[in-house]
Each structure stands twice: as C-alpha cells, then as structure tokens.
Amino acid sequence: KRITVVAPFYGYARQDKKHRGREPISARLLADLYKAAGANRLMVVDLHTSQIQGFFDGPVDHLFALPLLADYLESKLDTSRLTIVSPDAGRVRVAERWTDRLNSPLAIIHKRRDPMVANELRVHEVVGDVAGRTCILVDDMIDTAGTITKAAEALFENGAAEVVVAATHAVLSGPAVDRLKNSPITEVVVTNTLPVPEDRRFDKLTVLPIAPLLARAIREVFEDGSVTSLFNGAS
C-alpha cells in the first residue's frame, strides 16, 4: 500500500543549493533516488535546511530532536543561567527554537574577516551577553568540529562560565574527536541518528537515543494521527 523511508540522517543535506557554477544540488538528487526506488513518504530528523522537504514529491515528516536534547539539558543545568548560542548566522533560526523552548536569551557568533590576514576568517565576535553564563551552543550536526570549537573559544574569551554543545547528528569526521576532547567545552550532547562507533566516543560525549521519537512518529503515521503533536512547539 505504501512505502515510508525512515532516514534519521538525510545524506547530502548541506548540498541544497549551488554555491558556485557546475555544482550539483545533491540533496535534490537524493530525493529523486528515493522516489525512483519506490518511496511514497520520507521521515527525517533535523534537516540542514527546511526547504529540502520540497525536493521530494510526497509527504515528508520532518522531526526535531530539540525536545529530546532540551529535556536532557534541563535536567542537568540551571536554566536561569542559560544562554542559547548560534555558532554562525545560518543557525539563528535553530537557536531561536531553543530560546522559545527554554525561555533563555540568545547570542550569536559573528564571523568576519580579519583585514590584516588575506582570505582567512579570523575574528569571531560574540553578539549578546554571555559573561558568567552557561552557554548552550546548538547546531544540526558536528562534522569536523572546527566551527563549534572556534565558537566555544570565542565564548570563553567573552567571559562565559561554561559551554555545552548540543547537536542532532554526530558526523565526527577527521579531527573532530581530538578537537572536542582538547577544547574547554564541558559536554557534547548528540543523538544516535548516525551510529557513533566506540573509537569515536570520548568522556565528554553523551549520546541520546533517537529511537523513541522515531517510534512515536511511525505510530502516528500508521494510525493516521498527528506527527506535529510530537514537537511540543519546536516546529
């Protein structure tokens, strides 16, 4: 009757537009491959950009890990001292969802070029009050961890008391593990939308299971219920 693809991590999601000539839009290609293979419906978690939902010719259930991550952090941290931080301008919308959920102020890391150094991003300016605060750096994924660790350093330079990272997808490629282990970040909280092998785990890493969220969403889909009821306002 119907084939639903449950893909917690949507591959090639960052290639959702042309950055320069002759580049492919691979996120659209992946949607076309799913369709050609016979998929009628997709279920995904935290797409890099929401417009990817329009690439697939059929229903797309876009789930959010925010409630899962936020519940964990609320149970461990003093929410009155929290500031939510976007690591760059592109993640501000994600960070705003967090501020709504935790009723916390927002700060943004603004990256600009150092005029003294050609073609290199050097200066990370913090827009917002982070002094003495516990900062939650939020992102959809951690790949090489370069952006996250640089943002954390900028927060500490501006007086942050503590920095915790929360992200959905733990790609953790290349130097990511060493960068995170050697950074002053207190804890890195991710989900297991991607498997995290033992050799990529470290003391500061907490991996939360995504399965309960997927199970509830699958039940809603197959009982013709409401998937959006799972988001608690995160959508």
Side-chain angles (χ1 to χ4, degrees):
K1 178 183 174 183
R2 179 174 66 201
I3 297 174
T4 299
V5 173
V6 181
F9 178 76
Y10 187 97
Y12 298 97
R14 284 177 289 183
Q15 194 66 31
D16 63 321
K17 57 182 175 291
K18 284 180 177 289
H19 297 279
R20 56 176 65 91
R22 299 187 180 182
E23 278 191 354
I25 303 178
S26 304
R28 172 59 194 263
L29 172 62
L30 198 62
D32 289 344
L33 289 173
Y34 278 132
K35 191 68 178 179
N40 306 111
R41 185 176 189 136
L42 293 184
M43 183 177 293
V44 295
V45 181
D46 282 326
L47 287 169
H48 188 64
T49 50
S50 293
Q51 64 261 28
I52 292 173
Q53 295 172 88
F55 292 174
F56 183 73
D57 183 19
V60 177
D61 298 303
H62 187 198
L63 309 181
F64 297 92
L66 189 158
L68 175 69
L69 295 165
D71 285 348
Y72 171 80
L73 293 173
E74 273 185 313
S75 70
K76 292 195 65 178
L77 301 171
D78 178 4
T79 54
S80 67
R81 298 182 64 247
L82 294 183
T83 294
I84 308 301
V85 184
S86 172
D88 54 42
R91 298 290 95 193
V92 170
R93 184 68 193 97
V94 174
E96 285 176 340
R97 292 195 194 108
W98 277 82
T99 61
D100 293 342
R101 173 69 169 74
L102 296 176
N103 195 28
S104 301
L106 173 67
I108 302 166
I109 307 293
H110 173 59
K111 295 186 289 189
R112 65 178 177 85
R113 298 191 182 280
D114 187 339
M116 304 302 292
V117 182
N119 300 323
E120 287 191 46
L121 277 171
R122 288 289 188 180
V123 180
H124 291 69
E125 295 177 338
V126 178
V127 181
D129 183 19
V130 299
R133 309 281 292 177
T134 298
C135 295
I136 309 295
L137 259 174
V138 297
D139 210 343
D140 64 317
M141 72 175 69
I142 303 174
D143 188 355
T144 62
T147 297
I148 286 290
T149 50
K150 289 288 186 186
E153 289 169 8
L155 291 171
F156 281 114
E157 287 170 4
N158 282 266
E162 188 178 9
V163 175
V164 176
V165 173
T168 303
H169 309 297
V171 180
L172 300 180
S173 63
V177 171
D178 287 336
R179 283 174 172 170
L180 293 168
K181 279 199 298 190
N182 298 325
S183 75
I185 293 168
T186 304
E187 187 176 10
V188 179
V189 186
V190 297
T191 75
N192 62 348
T193 53
L194 288 166
V196 183
E198 285 301 319
D199 64 345
R200 307 301 287 171
R201 294 180 181 242
F202 50 97
D203 290 342
K204 291 192 280 189
L205 182 69
T206 299
V207 182
L208 303 178
I210 200 71
L213 174 64
L214 293 174
R216 291 199 302 274
I218 289 168
R219 177 181 294 148
E220 292 294 337
V221 167
F222 283 88
E223 292 180 355
D224 293 320
S226 172
V227 175
T228 55
S229 66
L230 303 175
F231 301 154
N232 297 326
S235 60

